[in-house]
Amino acid sequence: MQQRTGELVIGTRGRGLVDITRPLREWLAEQGISTGLLTIWCQHTSASLIVQENASPEVRTDLETFLARLVPDGGRERYRHHEEGEDDMPAHIRAVLTSVQLSIPVLDGSLALGTWQAVYLYEHRLRAHRRRLLLHLLGDG
């Protein structure tokens, strides 16, 4: 059994989904592990990680529309915590509703994603950020 650790820093353009499947695959290819488990950890409280369909952009639009209705932006009139703006507390709530950690099986040196699946960093703040993701791979070469 072997372990590898790494880090990805992902730039976002503001609220929305950033496909991180390619950088994850590139990092995995360098590790020399063919069977195992990759854990991805987002070190932020206003961004998250999801696995979702990668074929239709409407899926990503519909997800954002749904979350905007479920967790609307708002300042003092809606939330007590608003120090960093009207999107501050909603970003924290969105991160709670999604996840800051994913575990993905590795088979034959590849992420065991389904045909239409991709891994996304979900930025919940309105402005651009640089998000740090920690990677932990456990497996056999």
Side-chain angles (χ1 to χ4, degrees):
M1 193 66 61
Q2 302 174 44
Q3 292 188 71
R4 304 283 191 277
T5 59
E7 176 183 326
L8 292 177
V9 177
I10 305 294
T12 71
R13 296 182 181 171
R15 185 174 286 162
L17 295 162
V18 178
D19 188 340
I20 61 168
T21 310
R22 175 181 265 163
L24 288 172
R25 284 183 172 143
E26 290 170 354
W27 181 84
L28 180 60
E30 297 170 356
Q31 304 312 308
I33 291 181
S34 60
T35 303
L37 186 66
L38 174 63
T39 300
I40 310 153
W41 177 259
C42 179
Q43 285 196 309
H44 303 278
T45 60
S46 55
S48 59
L49 299 164
I50 65 171
V51 173
Q52 196 45 255
E53 179 178 322
N54 63 1
S56 173
E58 287 86 7
V59 170
R60 295 183 293 279
T61 301
D62 288 344
L63 282 171
E64 185 51 44
T65 300
F66 173 78
L67 278 176
R69 283 195 312 267
L70 186 64
V71 188
D73 289 333
R76 287 192 172 113
E77 69 283 353
R78 190 175 300 271
Y79 304 106
R80 293 168 83 174
H81 177 75
H82 55 79
E83 283 79 6
E84 295 179 36
E86 292 195 358
D87 66 335
D88 190 8
M89 190 61 209
H92 296 303
I93 295 170
R94 287 166 171 242
V96 166
L97 294 174
T98 49
S99 181
V100 296
Q101 180 264 322
L102 292 174
S103 293
I104 302 172
V106 174
L107 302 173
D108 297 322
S110 298
L111 297 172
L113 295 171
T115 302
W116 307 112
Q117 289 182 319
V119 182
Y120 293 94
L121 171 64
Y122 201 161
E123 175 62 65
H124 300 301
R125 298 302 303 266
L126 292 172
R127 65 180 176 83
H129 283 80
R130 293 184 58 75
R131 300 300 191 174
R132 186 170 178 227
L133 306 178
L134 299 182
L135 310 175
H136 179 250
L137 178 60
L138 183 64
D140 295 318

